[in-house]
Amino acid sequence: DQQVKQNSPSLSVQEGRISILNCDYTNSMFDYFLWYKKYPAEGPTFLISISSIKDKNEDGRFTVFLNKSAKHLSLHIVPSQPGDSAVYFCAAVVNDYKLSFGAGTTVTVRA
Amino acid sequence: DAGVIQSPRHEVTEMGQEVTLRCKPISGHNSLFWYRQTMMRGLELLIYFNNNVPIDDSGMPEDRFSAKMPNASFSTLKIQPSEPRDSAVYFCASSTYIGANTGELFFGEGSRLTVL
């Protein structure tokens, strides 16, 4: 049962432009939403999170937006850099520890 | 600072053999997770330990899988007997209790298992 969905398997963006990654979820009981970044042959690395009681969280070039009525989450990366090329996983927490992950979006930043 | 350490990084074995994957969490972290990543199912939680006690093993596929955490600095995931469908990347992750609540986990580099 996929409770967190990333419908775009890949995204290509030019260096310096904005990257927008999207995520939809079905479980209204999720407490926190997160984005993880993963390079090949490495484990996922926590990037940014947002509590279910907020609608925006910003950390440097990364901003996460939460629209609870639409059950939609997005990650904005501005400006995109070559080092941002990776797989990005949307995730959500329920029951104090249970993380559900989306399938991932592969971002390629073109020079 | 050392992160989560997993071994082996790669394991190739034949069907029916026993496989043991190992994990050393970050010192001071009291929550430990085993995740599996496959093309079909993505990243899925296998088992969660808190203070060395298994809290949720509902993700363990079947009796062939077992996990232990004998102390705060070591955990194992064992598959016996292994089958080709067990081929996947197995990740260990650790966190503080607060980190587990908010989903902020520290993942190891993973153990890539291939069962022939």
Side-chain angles (χ1 to χ4, degrees):
Chain A
D1 180 21
Q2 275 280 27
Q3 299 186 67
V4 177
K5 294 185 180 179
Q6 293 175 257
N7 293 318
S8 298
S10 63
L11 171 70
S12 180
V13 63
Q14 194 163 14
E15 182 178 1
R17 307 295 290 266
I18 185 171
S19 294
I20 299 177
L21 291 81
N22 294 301
C23 177
D24 296 301
Y25 63 94
T26 57
N27 189 343
S28 59
M29 301 301 291
F30 285 134
D31 300 308
Y32 287 88
F33 300 88
L34 306 94
W35 288 93
Y36 276 82
K37 178 178 178 180
K38 185 182 182 304
Y39 293 117
E42 294 185 10
T45 303
F46 168 74
L47 187 59
I48 190 169
S49 66
I50 187 168
S51 164
S52 60
I53 63 173
K54 297 193 174 180
D55 54 21
K56 178 182 175 181
N57 187 27
E58 191 172 351
D59 183 1
R61 296 186 297 114
F62 303 92
T63 303
V64 57
F65 296 92
L66 176 62
N67 182 335
K68 286 203 301 183
S69 61
K71 291 192 171 68
H72 181 79
L73 186 71
S74 64
L75 174 68
H76 292 205
I77 307 173
V78 182
S80 299
Q81 298 175 354
D84 296 331
S85 295
V87 178
Y88 290 79
F89 291 97
C90 175
V93 183
V94 68
N95 295 340
D96 291 337
Y97 65 86
K98 202 151 192 170
L99 262 179
S100 291
F101 284 88
T105 297
T106 300
V107 172
T108 303
V109 179
R110 309 185 311 272
Chain B
D1 287 346
V4 175
I5 299 172
Q6 291 187 245
S7 64
R9 290 295 311 278
H10 301 274
E11 174 94 4
V12 180
T13 190
E14 292 190 346
M15 183 173 63
Q17 297 298 305
E18 178 178 295
V19 173
T20 299
L21 307 178
R22 298 172 177 79
C23 175
K24 177 179 169 55
I26 292 172
S27 177
H29 284 186
N30 58 0
S31 295
L32 185 137
F33 304 79
W34 283 99
Y35 279 85
R36 178 172 69 173
Q37 184 182 28
T38 61
M39 289 294 293
M40 291 295 294
R41 300 175 65 87
L43 275 160
E44 53 180 346
L45 176 65
L46 299 179
I47 188 167
Y48 163 53
F49 290 89
N50 182 256
N51 290 325
N52 313 337
V53 176
I55 303 299
D56 182 353
D57 65 355
S58 60
M60 296 285 264
E62 48 199 271
D63 292 346
R64 298 184 298 105
F65 285 69
S66 63
K68 293 182 179 180
M69 192 164 186
N71 57 61
S73 59
F74 184 66
S75 176
T76 59
L77 178 67
K78 186 176 291 187
I79 309 172
Q80 165 65 14
S82 57
E83 296 182 3
R85 60 191 167 127
D86 302 331
S87 298
V89 181
Y90 291 81
F91 290 103
C92 177
S94 72
S95 72
T96 61
Y97 183 71
I98 298 295
N101 289 167
T102 59
E104 295 181 32
L105 310 186
F106 292 80
F107 282 81
E109 293 186 315
S111 294
R112 179 176 293 276
L113 173 65
T114 303
V115 183
L116 303 174

